[in-house]
Amino acid sequence: MAVLIQDGRRSGHLKWTREAIQRRCADGAVISAFCTPRIPRPRQRDAGAVVEALGTAEVLFDPMTHARLLSGTNKLEDYDTWSLWGNSGVGLDTTARRLEHVERVFSRQSELGLPRLAPTLALASARSSDADHAVETARVARGLDRHCYQSLVGTVEFFASGTDLDAHVGRLAGLRASTWVLTLVPASSPNLIADLATSTVALTGWLRTIHSLSVRSRVIVQNADFLGLLASAAGADTVGSGWDRSMKVFDASSYQLATPAPRRPASYVTQRGLVAILRRSIADDIQRLDAARAQELRGGPMPSDDAHQRVHHLRVIRDLVSDIYRMRGQEESVSVLRAIYHNALDNYAWLDSQVPGLVSASERDAWVNYPLLTLEQYAKAEGIW
Amino acid sequence: MVRQLRLEEVTSALEASLSVSDLELIAQGGQKYVFGCNLEGAPAVAKVVLLPLGPDSVYVLERAQREVEVLAAIDSPRVVRVLSEVVELDFAEGIRAATWVEDRLDGQDMRDDLEKPWNYDRAARLIVQLGEALSAFHDLEVVHRDLSPANVRELSDGSFVLMDPGLARHLAKSALTGVFQPGTAVHRSPEHIPGGDVQPVSDIFALGILAYRALTGVLPIDPSGSEDDYYRRLRDYDSRPIEASCSDIPAPLRDVINRCLKRQPARRYLDGLELIEELEKHGEIFGPYFMDA
């Protein structure tokens, strides 16, 4: 069971990552080709230095091919330092391109002394030429290194595609990868995390996939954060998280240059007992209402600043994932998470009785009701509800 | 119109091209003849497939060559042995055929023995020994694709042998998907549905159907109605659990059959090798039937 910190571009990223690992709030990190350069750039540590700085912690280098091949991706200043494509061009649609790319990705990972993680495409459909290219890429990777980790990246449409999804996962399972690294790509939205939480059909398919792959393999879910609790109940042993939105959820816009002017991130506080991250002003209101109960809801003292909130958040995620995953059977894991959600609903009800409307119904739905519904749909289909 | 070949034309061509003797017609159907014969003093069968006129002849010839190539590469007592290469026969008036020789197996194929439910020991033997046969295929990354009663023979010593991999596909040598999917109706897997990708795990599903049918006399997925209806059931619904028909079935046998029949391919045994690993854990049920038992 582990939490990996996703890569980010903020200047303190490496320092914060090291601190989180040292404080045992996280177990390792993912280096992204889009966030960390291969060679040093002004004010940026190169990947070799990052690996060295993180010592014995688990580190993966994700080539992020699925992000590179999304239409609109053009934020390439770090990515291009990796030289991941050969003479036949960018793409995974031909045998030559697949081979050249996988060889280069594996070579970079070997240079860093990291596990070999195969690249893939972000799939919007399980029945498509892209899906075939993803399978072929995975087979090339397996052919070069049968012990490599494999990637599966899909949109909400992909994970909502029912039997087509299951058939595709069957093709992938045949590769017998030791580790699967999954990424769920949400639909474009100004409110990615909340909208993703309401995509119950896709999330149920995502859980079914995790369940299927975890029968034979270790499963890591990237950019999952609180939704990683669901993944843990379905069999994922490692969850990707972090402090920025683009770490907590896959955000296609973070790979594009045309982003709005930088804005100061709002201040939030993670509330363990509500399975939520709420605005600091709400945390203050709860604190004023009942200091003891507030501490219980947060799962710790009030974070005094954003630095403490980063640590507090990761600790909450790690503790919850640990509580869920350490159960020996999936039925027990589901039962633990179900209890966590029901307890959260009780807490929301208490809050609402004290200060009606302090937390909106839509926030409660996104943090608890929809995830609980997803858990129920998944578990009922598996006969473990 | 193509003229009918006379039997003597075929037998003399076989004697001349394959050095076989004592030919006797065992079966004839469609464009295929099967002869019992003698090859260098040992009983054998000669198979003859007529090649259609026109461009389809290339496909039929390739299929025959693939069957023989697959069988020649597999060395397992659970898979019928091939004794020659494919030879093309030219008859008068442009009629052509492909022929080859295989071991002659005694016993009978499963088609003749599905009326009465089998006992659990016999079903366990079927699963172990076809599992071993599939392991031999899958170890070479070959999918049989047509595991059906006609292609499974129970020998007089009680062992099962897998035959006729005429529709087999080498995973590394062929395209990923195709509109045409082979296999015998009602013995197909969800991946056999047109547009699907038949994999080793699909053979596992077909083995589950065989075992289920042997024990219950019925199919795990209702085959009634149109082909589209059947495909929809195959794709969207789980099979009825075997214990619904066999309430006293031993748990390991029940679990193995139910897992073979999982609708989601990743939930089944992925191939014969994984199936055998599982069976080896339950020696009390499956142990006596392994090759090295």
Side-chain angles (χ1 to χ4, degrees), chain A residues 2-5 14 17-22 24 26-31 50-61 112-115 218:
Chain A
V3 167
L4 297 183
I5 297 175
L14 177 58
T17 301
R18 281 186 64 183
E19 284 172 0
I21 293 169
Q22 282 165 358
R24 299 183 189 279
D27 306 88
V30 179
I31 296 173
V50 171
V51 171
E52 196 177 321
L54 296 181
T56 57
E58 177 173 20
V59 180
L60 299 178
F61 168 66
L112 294 168
L114 301 179
R218 177 188 178 200

PDB file of all heavy atoms in Angstrom, chain A residues 2-5 14 17-22 24 26-31 50-61 112-115 218:
ATOM      1  N   ALA A   2       0.601   2.167  -0.894  1.00  0.00           N
ATOM      2  CA  ALA A   2       1.477   3.337  -0.974  1.00  0.00           C
ATOM      3  C   ALA A   2       0.737   4.517  -1.592  1.00  0.00           C
ATOM      4  O   ALA A   2      -0.263   4.348  -2.291  1.00  0.00           O
ATOM      5  CB  ALA A   2       2.703   3.010  -1.804  1.00  0.00           C
ATOM      6  N   VAL A   3       1.262   5.693  -1.318  1.00  0.00           N
ATOM      7  CA  VAL A   3       0.826   6.900  -2.017  1.00  0.00           C
ATOM      8  C   VAL A   3       2.037   7.468  -2.749  1.00  0.00           C
ATOM      9  O   VAL A   3       3.115   7.614  -2.156  1.00  0.00           O
ATOM     10  CB  VAL A   3       0.263   7.937  -1.010  1.00  0.00           C
ATOM     11  CG1 VAL A   3       0.116   9.301  -1.685  1.00  0.00           C
ATOM     12  CG2 VAL A   3      -1.081   7.472  -0.469  1.00  0.00           C
ATOM     13  N   LEU A   4       1.861   7.713  -4.024  1.00  0.00           N
ATOM     14  CA  LEU A   4       2.932   8.330  -4.820  1.00  0.00           C
ATOM     15  C   LEU A   4       2.530   9.773  -5.118  1.00  0.00           C
ATOM     16  O   LEU A   4       1.363  10.047  -5.429  1.00  0.00           O
ATOM     17  CB  LEU A   4       3.141   7.584  -6.138  1.00  0.00           C
ATOM     18  CG  LEU A   4       3.590   6.120  -6.053  1.00  0.00           C
ATOM     19  CD1 LEU A   4       3.823   5.563  -7.451  1.00  0.00           C
ATOM     20  CD2 LEU A   4       4.860   5.990  -5.215  1.00  0.00           C
ATOM     21  N   ILE A   5       3.503  10.664  -5.045  1.00  0.00           N
ATOM     22  CA  ILE A   5       3.227  12.073  -5.331  1.00  0.00           C
ATOM     23  C   ILE A   5       3.433  12.310  -6.823  1.00  0.00           C
ATOM     24  O   ILE A   5       4.497  12.003  -7.373  1.00  0.00           O
ATOM     25  CB  ILE A   5       4.153  12.974  -4.495  1.00  0.00           C
ATOM     26  CG1 ILE A   5       3.854  12.743  -3.007  1.00  0.00           C
ATOM     27  CG2 ILE A   5       3.965  14.441  -4.863  1.00  0.00           C
ATOM     28  CD1 ILE A   5       4.784  13.483  -2.071  1.00  0.00           C
ATOM     29  N   LEU A  14      10.098  19.569  -5.493  1.00  0.00           N
ATOM     30  CA  LEU A  14      11.007  18.507  -5.042  1.00  0.00           C
ATOM     31  C   LEU A  14      11.177  18.567  -3.516  1.00  0.00           C
ATOM     32  O   LEU A  14      11.154  17.526  -2.843  1.00  0.00           O
ATOM     33  CB  LEU A  14      12.361  18.619  -5.751  1.00  0.00           C
ATOM     34  CG  LEU A  14      13.405  17.599  -5.311  1.00  0.00           C
ATOM     35  CD1 LEU A  14      12.903  16.172  -5.513  1.00  0.00           C
ATOM     36  CD2 LEU A  14      14.712  17.807  -6.086  1.00  0.00           C
ATOM     37  N   THR A  17       8.114  17.262  -1.883  1.00  0.00           N
ATOM     38  CA  THR A  17       8.006  15.811  -2.081  1.00  0.00           C
ATOM     39  C   THR A  17       8.922  15.081  -1.098  1.00  0.00           C
ATOM     40  O   THR A  17       8.515  14.095  -0.456  1.00  0.00           O
ATOM     41  CB  THR A  17       8.381  15.444  -3.535  1.00  0.00           C
ATOM     42  OG1 THR A  17       7.503  16.142  -4.415  1.00  0.00           O
ATOM     43  CG2 THR A  17       8.281  13.952  -3.780  1.00  0.00           C
ATOM     44  N   ARG A  18      10.137  15.573  -0.991  1.00  0.00           N
ATOM     45  CA  ARG A  18      11.088  14.941  -0.060  1.00  0.00           C
ATOM     46  C   ARG A  18      10.559  14.981   1.364  1.00  0.00           C
ATOM     47  O   ARG A  18      10.628  13.995   2.104  1.00  0.00           O
ATOM     48  CB  ARG A  18      12.441  15.667  -0.109  1.00  0.00           C
ATOM     49  CG  ARG A  18      13.283  15.284  -1.305  1.00  0.00           C
ATOM     50  CD  ARG A  18      14.645  15.928  -1.217  1.00  0.00           C
ATOM     51  NE  ARG A  18      15.400  15.436  -0.069  1.00  0.00           N
ATOM     52  CZ  ARG A  18      16.597  15.880   0.274  1.00  0.00           C
ATOM     53  NH1 ARG A  18      17.170  16.847  -0.417  1.00  0.00           N
ATOM     54  NH2 ARG A  18      17.233  15.370   1.299  1.00  0.00           N
ATOM     55  N   GLU A  19      10.033  16.148   1.740  1.00  0.00           N
ATOM     56  CA  GLU A  19       9.518  16.284   3.115  1.00  0.00           C
ATOM     57  C   GLU A  19       8.368  15.312   3.374  1.00  0.00           C
ATOM     58  O   GLU A  19       8.294  14.670   4.421  1.00  0.00           O
ATOM     59  CB  GLU A  19       9.041  17.722   3.352  1.00  0.00           C
ATOM     60  CG  GLU A  19      10.179  18.705   3.548  1.00  0.00           C
ATOM     61  CD  GLU A  19       9.698  20.156   3.593  1.00  0.00           C
ATOM     62  OE1 GLU A  19       8.464  20.381   3.476  1.00  0.00           O
ATOM     63  OE2 GLU A  19      10.552  21.028   3.699  1.00  0.00           O
ATOM     64  N   ALA A  20       7.494  15.211   2.390  1.00  0.00           N
ATOM     65  CA  ALA A  20       6.334  14.315   2.569  1.00  0.00           C
ATOM     66  C   ALA A  20       6.789  12.871   2.721  1.00  0.00           C
ATOM     67  O   ALA A  20       6.243  12.111   3.539  1.00  0.00           O
ATOM     68  CB  ALA A  20       5.387  14.460   1.377  1.00  0.00           C
ATOM     69  N   ILE A  21       7.789  12.500   1.950  1.00  0.00           N
ATOM     70  CA  ILE A  21       8.287  11.116   2.045  1.00  0.00           C
ATOM     71  C   ILE A  21       8.987  10.911   3.387  1.00  0.00           C
ATOM     72  O   ILE A  21       8.804   9.879   4.054  1.00  0.00           O
ATOM     73  CB  ILE A  21       9.211  10.803   0.846  1.00  0.00           C
ATOM     74  CG1 ILE A  21       8.383  10.788  -0.450  1.00  0.00           C
ATOM     75  CG2 ILE A  21       9.919   9.472   1.047  1.00  0.00           C
ATOM     76  CD1 ILE A  21       9.200  10.744  -1.717  1.00  0.00           C
ATOM     77  N   GLN A  22       9.779  11.919   3.787  1.00  0.00           N
ATOM     78  CA  GLN A  22      10.481  11.794   5.072  1.00  0.00           C
ATOM     79  C   GLN A  22       9.497  11.703   6.239  1.00  0.00           C
ATOM     80  O   GLN A  22       9.740  11.015   7.218  1.00  0.00           O
ATOM     81  CB  GLN A  22      11.417  12.992   5.262  1.00  0.00           C
ATOM     82  CG  GLN A  22      12.696  12.858   4.448  1.00  0.00           C
ATOM     83  CD  GLN A  22      13.466  14.171   4.324  1.00  0.00           C
ATOM     84  OE1 GLN A  22      13.032  15.207   4.810  1.00  0.00           O
ATOM     85  NE2 GLN A  22      14.610  14.111   3.647  1.00  0.00           N
ATOM     86  N   ARG A  24       6.711  10.317   6.115  1.00  0.00           N
ATOM     87  CA  ARG A  24       5.931   9.093   5.868  1.00  0.00           C
ATOM     88  C   ARG A  24       4.469   9.384   5.528  1.00  0.00           C
ATOM     89  O   ARG A  24       3.564   8.630   5.879  1.00  0.00           O
ATOM     90  CB  ARG A  24       6.010   8.135   7.066  1.00  0.00           C
ATOM     91  CG  ARG A  24       7.425   7.682   7.359  1.00  0.00           C
ATOM     92  CD  ARG A  24       7.460   6.679   8.489  1.00  0.00           C
ATOM     93  NE  ARG A  24       8.831   6.407   8.896  1.00  0.00           N
ATOM     94  CZ  ARG A  24       9.643   5.568   8.277  1.00  0.00           C
ATOM     95  NH1 ARG A  24       9.228   4.916   7.215  1.00  0.00           N
ATOM     96  NH2 ARG A  24      10.870   5.384   8.707  1.00  0.00           N
ATOM     97  N   ALA A  26       3.887   9.983   2.343  1.00  0.00           N
ATOM     98  CA  ALA A  26       3.892   9.439   0.987  1.00  0.00           C
ATOM     99  C   ALA A  26       5.054   8.466   0.903  1.00  0.00           C
ATOM    100  O   ALA A  26       5.948   8.468   1.757  1.00  0.00           O
ATOM    101  CB  ALA A  26       4.043  10.556  -0.039  1.00  0.00           C
ATOM    102  N   ASP A  27       5.017   7.648  -0.130  1.00  0.00           N
ATOM    103  CA  ASP A  27       6.004   6.576  -0.239  1.00  0.00           C
ATOM    104  C   ASP A  27       6.942   6.743  -1.419  1.00  0.00           C
ATOM    105  O   ASP A  27       7.913   6.003  -1.559  1.00  0.00           O
ATOM    106  CB  ASP A  27       5.273   5.233  -0.357  1.00  0.00           C
ATOM    107  CG  ASP A  27       4.303   5.042   0.786  1.00  0.00           C
ATOM    108  OD1 ASP A  27       3.135   5.480   0.659  1.00  0.00           O
ATOM    109  OD2 ASP A  27       4.716   4.499   1.823  1.00  0.00           O
ATOM    110  N   GLY A  28       6.610   7.653  -2.316  1.00  0.00           N
ATOM    111  CA  GLY A  28       7.453   7.821  -3.493  1.00  0.00           C
ATOM    112  C   GLY A  28       6.858   8.874  -4.404  1.00  0.00           C
ATOM    113  O   GLY A  28       5.982   9.644  -3.993  1.00  0.00           O
ATOM    114  N   ALA A  29       7.339   8.884  -5.634  1.00  0.00           N
ATOM    115  CA  ALA A  29       6.916   9.951  -6.548  1.00  0.00           C
ATOM    116  C   ALA A  29       6.933   9.462  -7.991  1.00  0.00           C
ATOM    117  O   ALA A  29       7.596   8.474  -8.320  1.00  0.00           O
ATOM    118  CB  ALA A  29       7.848  11.146  -6.399  1.00  0.00           C
ATOM    119  N   VAL A  30       6.190  10.172  -8.802  1.00  0.00           N
ATOM    120  CA  VAL A  30       6.191   9.917 -10.246  1.00  0.00           C
ATOM    121  C   VAL A  30       6.829  11.124 -10.920  1.00  0.00           C
ATOM    122  O   VAL A  30       6.431  12.266 -10.656  1.00  0.00           O
ATOM    123  CB  VAL A  30       4.756   9.738 -10.785  1.00  0.00           C
ATOM    124  CG1 VAL A  30       4.783   9.497 -12.290  1.00  0.00           C
ATOM    125  CG2 VAL A  30       4.053   8.591 -10.065  1.00  0.00           C
ATOM    126  N   ILE A  31       7.807  10.868 -11.769  1.00  0.00           N
ATOM    127  CA  ILE A  31       8.406  11.937 -12.559  1.00  0.00           C
ATOM    128  C   ILE A  31       7.696  11.949 -13.910  1.00  0.00           C
ATOM    129  O   ILE A  31       7.589  10.909 -14.566  1.00  0.00           O
ATOM    130  CB  ILE A  31       9.916  11.683 -12.765  1.00  0.00           C
ATOM    131  CG1 ILE A  31      10.645  11.724 -11.420  1.00  0.00           C
ATOM    132  CG2 ILE A  31      10.505  12.694 -13.734  1.00  0.00           C
ATOM    133  CD1 ILE A  31      12.109  11.315 -11.523  1.00  0.00           C
ATOM    134  N   VAL A  50      16.585  14.555  -9.312  1.00  0.00           N
ATOM    135  CA  VAL A  50      15.371  14.238  -8.549  1.00  0.00           C
ATOM    136  C   VAL A  50      15.454  12.826  -7.991  1.00  0.00           C
ATOM    137  O   VAL A  50      15.185  12.586  -6.804  1.00  0.00           O
ATOM    138  CB  VAL A  50      14.111  14.405  -9.439  1.00  0.00           C
ATOM    139  CG1 VAL A  50      12.873  13.870  -8.728  1.00  0.00           C
ATOM    140  CG2 VAL A  50      13.922  15.864  -9.828  1.00  0.00           C
ATOM    141  N   VAL A  51      15.857  11.902  -8.844  1.00  0.00           N
ATOM    142  CA  VAL A  51      15.957  10.502  -8.397  1.00  0.00           C
ATOM    143  C   VAL A  51      16.950  10.405  -7.243  1.00  0.00           C
ATOM    144  O   VAL A  51      16.694   9.740  -6.232  1.00  0.00           O
ATOM    145  CB  VAL A  51      16.385   9.598  -9.579  1.00  0.00           C
ATOM    146  CG1 VAL A  51      16.706   8.186  -9.089  1.00  0.00           C
ATOM    147  CG2 VAL A  51      15.285   9.546 -10.633  1.00  0.00           C
ATOM    148  N   GLU A  52      18.069  11.092  -7.377  1.00  0.00           N
ATOM    149  CA  GLU A  52      19.084  11.062  -6.329  1.00  0.00           C
ATOM    150  C   GLU A  52      18.525  11.660  -5.031  1.00  0.00           C
ATOM    151  O   GLU A  52      18.719  11.106  -3.948  1.00  0.00           O
ATOM    152  CB  GLU A  52      20.295  11.853  -6.799  1.00  0.00           C
ATOM    153  CG  GLU A  52      21.548  11.569  -5.982  1.00  0.00           C
ATOM    154  CD  GLU A  52      22.749  12.344  -6.539  1.00  0.00           C
ATOM    155  OE1 GLU A  52      22.870  12.450  -7.771  1.00  0.00           O
ATOM    156  OE2 GLU A  52      23.526  12.842  -5.711  1.00  0.00           O
ATOM    157  N   ALA A  53      17.807  12.752  -5.171  1.00  0.00           N
ATOM    158  CA  ALA A  53      17.274  13.429  -3.987  1.00  0.00           C
ATOM    159  C   ALA A  53      16.243  12.583  -3.260  1.00  0.00           C
ATOM    160  O   ALA A  53      16.083  12.700  -2.041  1.00  0.00           O
ATOM    161  CB  ALA A  53      16.652  14.762  -4.391  1.00  0.00           C
ATOM    162  N   LEU A  54      15.546  11.736  -3.987  1.00  0.00           N
ATOM    163  CA  LEU A  54      14.483  10.940  -3.355  1.00  0.00           C
ATOM    164  C   LEU A  54      15.001   9.632  -2.774  1.00  0.00           C
ATOM    165  O   LEU A  54      14.237   8.858  -2.188  1.00  0.00           O
ATOM    166  CB  LEU A  54      13.353  10.679  -4.357  1.00  0.00           C
ATOM    167  CG  LEU A  54      12.630  11.948  -4.825  1.00  0.00           C
ATOM    168  CD1 LEU A  54      11.504  11.617  -5.802  1.00  0.00           C
ATOM    169  CD2 LEU A  54      12.087  12.746  -3.644  1.00  0.00           C
ATOM    170  N   GLY A  55      16.274   9.391  -2.944  1.00  0.00           N
ATOM    171  CA  GLY A  55      16.926   8.258  -2.272  1.00  0.00           C
ATOM    172  C   GLY A  55      16.278   6.927  -2.574  1.00  0.00           C
ATOM    173  O   GLY A  55      16.109   6.560  -3.737  1.00  0.00           O
ATOM    174  N   THR A  56      15.860   6.225  -1.532  1.00  0.00           N
ATOM    175  CA  THR A  56      15.371   4.860  -1.719  1.00  0.00           C
ATOM    176  C   THR A  56      13.860   4.796  -1.960  1.00  0.00           C
ATOM    177  O   THR A  56      13.299   3.713  -2.090  1.00  0.00           O
ATOM    178  CB  THR A  56      15.676   4.010  -0.474  1.00  0.00           C
ATOM    179  OG1 THR A  56      15.086   4.660   0.655  1.00  0.00           O
ATOM    180  CG2 THR A  56      17.179   3.875  -0.262  1.00  0.00           C
ATOM    181  N   ALA A  57      13.213   5.963  -1.999  1.00  0.00           N
ATOM    182  CA  ALA A  57      11.752   5.947  -2.214  1.00  0.00           C
ATOM    183  C   ALA A  57      11.431   5.397  -3.603  1.00  0.00           C
ATOM    184  O   ALA A  57      12.261   5.465  -4.519  1.00  0.00           O
ATOM    185  CB  ALA A  57      11.204   7.362  -2.082  1.00  0.00           C
ATOM    186  N   GLU A  58      10.214   4.869  -3.750  1.00  0.00           N
ATOM    187  CA  GLU A  58       9.813   4.371  -5.062  1.00  0.00           C
ATOM    188  C   GLU A  58       9.629   5.556  -6.019  1.00  0.00           C
ATOM    189  O   GLU A  58       8.927   6.522  -5.706  1.00  0.00           O
ATOM    190  CB  GLU A  58       8.491   3.604  -4.962  1.00  0.00           C
ATOM    191  CG  GLU A  58       8.024   3.134  -6.349  1.00  0.00           C
ATOM    192  CD  GLU A  58       6.813   2.215  -6.306  1.00  0.00           C
ATOM    193  OE1 GLU A  58       6.093   2.220  -5.289  1.00  0.00           O
ATOM    194  OE2 GLU A  58       6.592   1.503  -7.296  1.00  0.00           O
ATOM    195  N   VAL A  59      10.248   5.463  -7.188  1.00  0.00           N
ATOM    196  CA  VAL A  59      10.111   6.523  -8.186  1.00  0.00           C
ATOM    197  C   VAL A  59       9.828   5.877  -9.536  1.00  0.00           C
ATOM    198  O   VAL A  59      10.445   4.876  -9.906  1.00  0.00           O
ATOM    199  CB  VAL A  59      11.403   7.377  -8.289  1.00  0.00           C
ATOM    200  CG1 VAL A  59      11.220   8.483  -9.336  1.00  0.00           C
ATOM    201  CG2 VAL A  59      11.763   7.984  -6.945  1.00  0.00           C
ATOM    202  N   LEU A  60       8.864   6.444 -10.238  1.00  0.00           N
ATOM    203  CA  LEU A  60       8.567   6.004 -11.613  1.00  0.00           C
ATOM    204  C   LEU A  60       8.793   7.184 -12.542  1.00  0.00           C
ATOM    205  O   LEU A  60       8.527   8.330 -12.171  1.00  0.00           O
ATOM    206  CB  LEU A  60       7.101   5.573 -11.739  1.00  0.00           C
ATOM    207  CG  LEU A  60       6.617   4.408 -10.891  1.00  0.00           C
ATOM    208  CD1 LEU A  60       5.122   4.191 -11.143  1.00  0.00           C
ATOM    209  CD2 LEU A  60       7.391   3.146 -11.240  1.00  0.00           C
ATOM    210  N   PHE A  61       9.277   6.890 -13.737  1.00  0.00           N
ATOM    211  CA  PHE A  61       9.292   7.924 -14.771  1.00  0.00           C
ATOM    212  C   PHE A  61       8.177   7.591 -15.764  1.00  0.00           C
ATOM    213  O   PHE A  61       8.218   6.548 -16.410  1.00  0.00           O
ATOM    214  CB  PHE A  61      10.638   7.966 -15.502  1.00  0.00           C
ATOM    215  CG  PHE A  61      10.585   8.821 -16.748  1.00  0.00           C
ATOM    216  CD1 PHE A  61      10.392  10.197 -16.653  1.00  0.00           C
ATOM    217  CD2 PHE A  61      10.667   8.252 -18.010  1.00  0.00           C
ATOM    218  CE1 PHE A  61      10.312  10.983 -17.800  1.00  0.00           C
ATOM    219  CE2 PHE A  61      10.591   9.029 -19.156  1.00  0.00           C
ATOM    220  CZ  PHE A  61      10.407  10.397 -19.053  1.00  0.00           C
ATOM    221  N   LEU A 112      18.097   6.186 -15.638  1.00  0.00           N
ATOM    222  CA  LEU A 112      17.767   6.713 -14.302  1.00  0.00           C
ATOM    223  C   LEU A 112      17.722   5.613 -13.240  1.00  0.00           C
ATOM    224  O   LEU A 112      17.514   5.894 -12.064  1.00  0.00           O
ATOM    225  CB  LEU A 112      16.401   7.416 -14.356  1.00  0.00           C
ATOM    226  CG  LEU A 112      16.339   8.686 -15.203  1.00  0.00           C
ATOM    227  CD1 LEU A 112      14.885   9.114 -15.422  1.00  0.00           C
ATOM    228  CD2 LEU A 112      17.116   9.810 -14.534  1.00  0.00           C
ATOM    229  N   GLY A 113      17.863   4.382 -13.684  1.00  0.00           N
ATOM    230  CA  GLY A 113      17.798   3.262 -12.734  1.00  0.00           C
ATOM    231  C   GLY A 113      16.398   3.015 -12.223  1.00  0.00           C
ATOM    232  O   GLY A 113      16.205   2.536 -11.101  1.00  0.00           O
ATOM    233  N   LEU A 114      15.388   3.352 -13.028  1.00  0.00           N
ATOM    234  CA  LEU A 114      13.987   3.204 -12.606  1.00  0.00           C
ATOM    235  C   LEU A 114      13.332   2.040 -13.325  1.00  0.00           C
ATOM    236  O   LEU A 114      13.812   1.601 -14.377  1.00  0.00           O
ATOM    237  CB  LEU A 114      13.229   4.499 -12.914  1.00  0.00           C
ATOM    238  CG  LEU A 114      13.771   5.766 -12.246  1.00  0.00           C
ATOM    239  CD1 LEU A 114      12.939   6.971 -12.657  1.00  0.00           C
ATOM    240  CD2 LEU A 114      13.783   5.618 -10.724  1.00  0.00           C
ATOM    241  N   PRO A 115      12.226   1.549 -12.784  1.00  0.00           N
ATOM    242  CA  PRO A 115      11.509   0.467 -13.472  1.00  0.00           C
ATOM    243  C   PRO A 115      11.077   0.917 -14.871  1.00  0.00           C
ATOM    244  O   PRO A 115      10.852   2.111 -15.106  1.00  0.00           O
ATOM    245  CB  PRO A 115      10.281   0.233 -12.590  1.00  0.00           C
ATOM    246  CG  PRO A 115      10.556   0.897 -11.311  1.00  0.00           C
ATOM    247  CD  PRO A 115      11.544   1.978 -11.556  1.00  0.00           C
ATOM    248  N   ARG A 218       0.059  -6.020  -9.576  1.00  0.00           N
ATOM    249  CA  ARG A 218      -0.048  -4.831  -8.746  1.00  0.00           C
ATOM    250  C   ARG A 218      -0.691  -3.731  -9.593  1.00  0.00           C
ATOM    251  O   ARG A 218      -0.388  -3.615 -10.784  1.00  0.00           O
ATOM    252  CB  ARG A 218       1.350  -4.404  -8.317  1.00  0.00           C
ATOM    253  CG  ARG A 218       1.381  -3.139  -7.514  1.00  0.00           C
ATOM    254  CD  ARG A 218       2.829  -2.665  -7.297  1.00  0.00           C
ATOM    255  NE  ARG A 218       2.824  -1.427  -6.556  1.00  0.00           N
ATOM    256  CZ  ARG A 218       3.846  -0.579  -6.544  1.00  0.00           C
ATOM    257  NH1 ARG A 218       4.950  -0.864  -7.208  1.00  0.00           N
ATOM    258  NH2 ARG A 218       3.758   0.545  -5.859  1.00  0.00           N
TER     259      ARG A 218
END
